[in-house]
Amino acid sequence: MNKNDTREKIIEVTIQKIRNENIQNFSIRSVVKTLNLTTGSFYKHFKNKNSLFLEAAQRISQQIYNQVYPKIMDQEAYPQKALCVLGSELIDFFITEPKLADFLFFNPEVLASYSVYSSNQHSFKLLTLTMKLINDLVNKENLQETSRTLFIQIWSFIQGYAILIKNQVTTKETSLIEHTLNELIRGK
């Protein structure tokens, strides 16, 4: 395996392990064992587990972006509609890939990268797209809310609603996503 192939394989196996196993049981040793590598060869590619997790999170974010963007690109002139589609797709991701969703959206080692103060924030195309749509919505609708506040409100709703659906407390209703987004925007 050449150096780039090894790095890619490590990221791929990491994502597979996160998808299929409990994140608390994740270990670098397990990844290198799966690939018949030494721990030393892992450290030739990654500084530590956190740097591997950051790369894996960016890859997962990119995959979601690649899946979602074609569905909303025609809606970009209508940021509210695009946000509804994005929210619906993210909820579907929580349902179909619960362990990846938990890793991407709740893992403390990844969450720090989403901070407005993080230099890694723009490495997450899904986050960048979400922020763009919210900024466009605030500007288009001349809202009094800041983009940051609206982002937190929308993101909190999507995550909370997705968890309720994932845990079978309720079922997904697209009209509820649309209604809630409208209430957040209009304050009604």
Side-chain angles (χ1 to χ4, degrees), residues 80 83-84 87 134 137-138 141-159 161 176-188:
Q80 185 172 346
L83 282 167
C84 285
I134 290 172
L137 180 64
V138 167
E141 299 291 331
N142 201 21
L143 301 177
Q144 297 301 311
E145 291 288 354
T146 65
S147 294
R148 180 171 162 64
T149 299
L150 191 57
F151 171 80
I152 291 168
Q153 292 171 333
I154 292 170
W155 204 249
S156 297
F157 166 72
I158 290 170
Q159 286 183 334
Y161 190 42
L176 179 63
I177 299 167
E178 294 166 358
H179 176 77
T180 302
L181 185 55
N182 197 40
E183 292 232 348
L184 290 171
I185 293 165
R186 306 279 179 253
K188 297 177 183 173

Side-chain angles (χ1 to χ4, degrees), residues 67 71 87-97 162 172:
Q67 186 176 352
K71 296 176 183 179
S88 181
E89 291 293 317
L90 287 173
I91 289 167
D92 289 345
F93 177 71
F94 268 89
I95 294 165
T96 59
E97 294 284 4
K172 180 181 162 191

Side-chain angles (χ1 to χ4, degrees), residues 125-137:
K125 288 185 86 170
L126 181 63
L127 178 61
T128 302
L129 173 64
T130 306
M131 290 302 299
K132 179 194 177 307
L133 292 172
I134 290 172
N135 286 332
D136 291 350
L137 180 64

Side-chain angles (χ1 to χ4, degrees), residues 23-67:
I23 189 70
Q24 287 78 15
N25 297 334
F26 181 87
S27 73
I28 292 170
R29 281 194 186 113
S30 172
V31 171
V32 297
K33 182 178 178 184
T34 300
L35 293 170
N36 294 319
L37 299 172
T38 64
T39 306
S41 92
F42 169 85
Y43 289 106
K44 288 179 185 175
H45 300 281
F46 297 95
K47 182 179 175 184
N48 53 35
K49 184 170 80 170
N50 288 351
S51 65
L52 171 60
F53 277 3
L54 179 61
E55 291 267 346
Q58 288 170 344
R59 183 74 50 89
I60 295 164
S61 175
Q62 180 68 46
Q63 289 169 355
I64 299 168
Y65 173 88
N66 291 346
Q67 186 176 352

